[in-house]
Amino acid sequence: MSNESLANLMTETRRFAPPAEVTAAANVTAAAYEAAAEDRLEYWAEQARRLSWEQEPTETLDWSNPPFAKWFADGRLNVAYNCVDRHVEAGNGDRVAIHFEGEPGDSRAITYAELQREVSQAAHALTELGVATGDRVAIYMPMIPEAVIAMLACARIGAPHSVVFGAFSADALATRIEDADARVVITSDGGYRRGAPSALKPAVDEALTRPGAARVRNVLVVRRTGQDVPWTEGRDLWWHETVGRQPEEHTPEAFDAEHPLFILYTSGTTGKPKGILHTTGGYLTQVAYTHHAVFDLKPETDVYWCTADIGWVTGHSYIVYGPLANGATEVLYEGTPNTPHNGRWWEIVEKYGVTLLYTAPTAIRTCMKWGDDVPAGFNLSSLRVLGSVGEPINPEAWVWYREHIGGGRTPVVDTWWQTETGAMMISPLPGVTLAKPGSAQTPLPGISATVVDDDGNEVANGSGGYLTLTEPWPSMLRTIWGDDQRFLDTYWSRFEGRYFAGDGAKKDADGDIWLLGRVDDVMLVSGHNISTTEVESALVSHPRIAEAAVVGATDPQTTQAICAFVILRGGAPQEEGLVEELRAHVSKELGPIAKPKRILAVDELPKTRSGKIMRRLLRDIAENRELGDVTTLTDPAVMDLIQSKLPSAPSED
Ligand code: ATP
Ligand code: MG
């Protein structure tokens, strides 16, 4: 990215100081940055002491064979014990761990003591099914408590899980079962989505007809919806029968800190998903620490809610392992934000008195589109910290989130991280940071990140380049499952001795980091590098635009031409002259070079289930090509909808 590239994001001048009451009682203060800078490894060793180890580690980091890291290698611990049992032993068995809210409105509160019993039973059941330490288990579930229980049961017996997002196809499930060679699959009859039961089990049955998945011995099925399910005798087992009859006590065994915890596939916005491997001690240390620091969690009084799906890394790290390791009380919601009405989320915040909320920019922009009056109809005064993850959050959405959800009071933390990093890496701290809407700002204490140019030299403040991580961190991926070479090639080959994340970023005059999206998405227009994020952000700053996705399409004159797909606010029909007005608006914000050549109003954008816009598919459309892999889309029908709007390619206005 060239230095003269456009800078509208960094000209955002609104600043928000942390509220005095948050600062006064903050879990982590500015001193943490100094302590970590003075002795990074000692800082992490100290954070590892948040966990209960059966054998305390004496070694923090073994980096003798980079980039294959070992953290806390001689320590031994059990992850499920840390997330469940120790809270019961500390006298907090009656604390609610999970407030489950089903989409139809059924609810269930699960205390830590109950969680301990159910995780213990599920662990016994897996052992009975022949799952031994090190064996892989596939989990294909809706957002119900048994999904969390299944993950913890696997962790308890040292069987790495591979959670496959519940809306993925039978093929996607089969590939992941095969890749991990899982012999047991945990699923449910179905779950509730958009007001109706939606079946899951048939996709499992279909997946298991594929040769690669034929070695699965058992399918454990949770009854959620009560719908009819096809059944294979001998292979299929009901959860309530098999788990329900097990003893409620189970002695957790400690495993090495580098024992594998899970395999999880990336969301696939840039290509074929990668099976990321995470291990135990370092991972749990960093997810627990960051959840404590970035949300300023007070486990006795806070009610935390992360709206992500457990099939995504945010669900692993910030629904299951981080919050539960910290003894938090959290909400788990099964359904969609607009069932039965557009205010469902805010109704849930009011009902449970949610204090800490973690969601994605796409959800925030969708709520903006639905209108300010929706959240205004609920009492959201319990909220005290708001988080964002998954994509760059444009300043307009950031400020809307703070104003309309956070009542103009709450800090907003924009957390940058990836499946590969396992835990948050760059984020403001709510009691410390003077917040800049649109910027993830500063690497967390103990994390080293920097922006470099093509040659790997750190760029000056005010310039852009590639975001790299310069020191190993506890929750880093250990490899790509079964493919060390792809691990080396993908992350460690671009810049000598550093991890390259694939994202572009800029440093502002203060050295704060602004994420610019994937380097693959950067456009080249008449010799200028232009980031899709910046043009999207400029479009969304226009009052008529709720969401925008921008791609560069091959163009004979300008190398690439900027094509924008926009969703209008309030869904009103497109008025005459709007396209011209939008082009003029972008030109004014960013300069004439960034003016989109084509702008097309659409009703929906193609998104992954983790809420990311699939720009590569829009590029296929803009370049009039056959669509690439759509299997990780929330709703592949969206592509037909968009294509139906354009007989061939987006028309030039
Ligand atoms: P794949 O690697 O298969 O293309 P993916 O990168 O979309 O999938 P994830 O690991 O879920 O899968 O997403 C991580 C990416 O999300 C980051 O690399 C970054 O591009 C984006 N991202 C996450 N959080 C933020 C944030 N706060 N600001 C900007 N970008 C973010
Ligand atoms: Mg990625």
Side-chain angles (χ1 to χ4, degrees), residues 530 535 562 580 582-584 586-587 591-598:
I530 300 177
V535 181
I562 301 177
E580 252 334 293
L582 291 172
R583 297 179 72 210
V586 174
S587 178
I593 188 81
K595 194 158 71 175
K597 184 162 181 188
R598 305 163 181 169

Side-chain angles (χ1 to χ4, degrees), residues 266-274 312-313 388-393 414-420 440 501 503 515 517-518 610 612:
T266 58
S267 75
T269 49
T270 51
K272 182 172 174 272
K274 303 170 276 278
W312 181 33
V313 71
S388 169
V389 62
E391 285 193 292
I393 177 166
D414 173 12
T415 63
W416 178 87
W417 59 293
Q418 311 177 294
T419 311
E420 293 90 338
D503 287 347
L515 273 303
R518 312 320 181 76
S610 57
K612 295 183 202 302

Side-chain angles (χ1 to χ4, degrees), residues 114-153:
E114 286 167 317
L115 192 60
Q116 184 183 33
R117 290 195 287 274
E118 296 204 25
V119 171
S120 296
Q121 289 186 306
H124 281 298
L126 289 174
T127 304
E128 189 179 288
L129 296 180
V131 179
T133 302
D135 292 351
R136 277 81 57 202
V137 174
I139 298 179
Y140 184 65
M141 299 267 261
M143 288 286 287
I144 56 176
E146 286 81 1
V148 178
I149 292 165
M151 290 164 77
L152 291 169

Side-chain angles (χ1 to χ4, degrees), residues 346-404:
W346 317 123
E347 189 177 74
I348 292 173
V349 168
E350 181 177 300
K351 173 173 176 184
Y352 294 104
V354 172
T355 58
L356 314 172
L357 179 69
Y358 198 22
T359 192
T362 177
I364 298 164
R365 289 189 298 259
T366 301
C367 292
M368 288 172 76
K369 181 174 73 184
W370 288 340
D372 305 352
D373 52 322
V374 178
F378 298 89
N379 180 356
L380 307 181
S381 62
S382 54
L383 288 167
R384 63 178 202 93
V385 179
L386 304 178
S388 169
V389 62
E391 285 193 292
I393 177 166
N394 47 291
E396 274 339 292
W398 192 108
V399 170
W400 186 90
Y401 192 26
R402 186 178 184 278
E403 282 305 311
H404 294 275

